[in-house]
Amino acid sequence: MRKELLIKNQIGELERVNQFLEEIAEELGLDMELQMNLNLVLEEMVSNVIFYAYPEGKSADIELVAESHDKELTFVLTDRGKEFDPTAKEDADPNVNPMDRDIGGMGIYIVKNIMNEVTYQRLEGRNLLTMKKDI
């Protein structure tokens, strides 16, 4: 299975990401808990691109590709925004009181804990975030 979704960097596009995942989950027969976890991962990573990759007011495309082979589901999120490697950020400490924690960092921590593998590349002016999950 291979599916592609092209969206704009607008918060309203998260609904299309959710529908994209629902179609994949139905096709692959994923259980609801896994689907909800994958939805959290995709919402977190796509919203980071929407909010932080481009200057305010600049319209841009974001591509999301999903592929499944055997018992592995892979998502590749691609954008042409400013370079940012979320995997290089030090993991947030989940034991710190949320009121005492610096803003940011929990999203990628959650993504790394849900997915089996998360990698980043910068190729030809594009950010490629690859997230793999055993299904």
Side-chain angles (χ1 to χ4, degrees):
M1 184 259 345
R2 178 182 166 89
K3 292 188 179 298
E4 298 179 22
L5 177 67
L6 187 64
I7 61 171
K8 291 293 185 189
N9 60 329
Q10 300 166 351
I11 197 66
E13 294 281 69
L14 289 176
E15 180 59 34
R16 291 185 56 216
V17 172
N18 191 355
Q19 290 170 348
F20 178 72
L21 180 59
E22 283 180 15
E23 291 171 15
I24 292 166
E26 186 173 323
E27 185 172 325
L28 297 177
L30 304 180
D31 65 50
M32 187 54 73
E33 181 180 2
L34 178 55
Q35 183 179 336
M36 289 173 58
N37 283 335
L38 292 174
N39 190 57
L40 177 62
V41 164
L42 294 181
E43 275 197 14
E44 182 62 35
M45 293 295 91
V46 171
S47 64
N48 280 350
V49 174
I50 291 169
F51 290 126
Y52 305 116
Y54 299 95
E56 191 171 336
K58 178 176 169 56
S59 179
D61 291 332
I62 301 168
E63 181 182 35
L64 181 60
V65 175
E67 287 187 273
S68 69
H69 297 286
D70 298 323
K71 294 288 184 188
E72 184 175 73
L73 178 58
T74 302
F75 294 98
V76 180
L77 181 63
T78 306
D79 68 83
R80 292 190 174 274
K82 67 180 178 183
E83 184 173 353
F84 177 69
D85 179 357
T87 66
K89 189 163 175 54
E90 188 173 317
D91 284 346
D93 184 350
N95 299 316
V96 172
N97 181 323
M99 298 303 289
D100 298 330
R101 183 180 298 132
D102 290 338
I103 293 175
M106 282 308 293
I108 189 64
Y109 173 81
I110 292 167
V111 170
K112 286 178 178 178
N113 280 281
I114 291 173
M115 303 305 282
N116 295 99
E117 183 182 334
V118 180
T119 57
Y120 169 84
Q121 291 179 288
R122 179 77 177 185
L123 293 173
E124 301 172 357
R126 298 181 306 153
N127 295 303
L128 285 87
L129 185 67
T130 302
M131 301 166 284
K132 296 182 178 184
K133 181 68 178 172
D134 296 336
I135 54 173

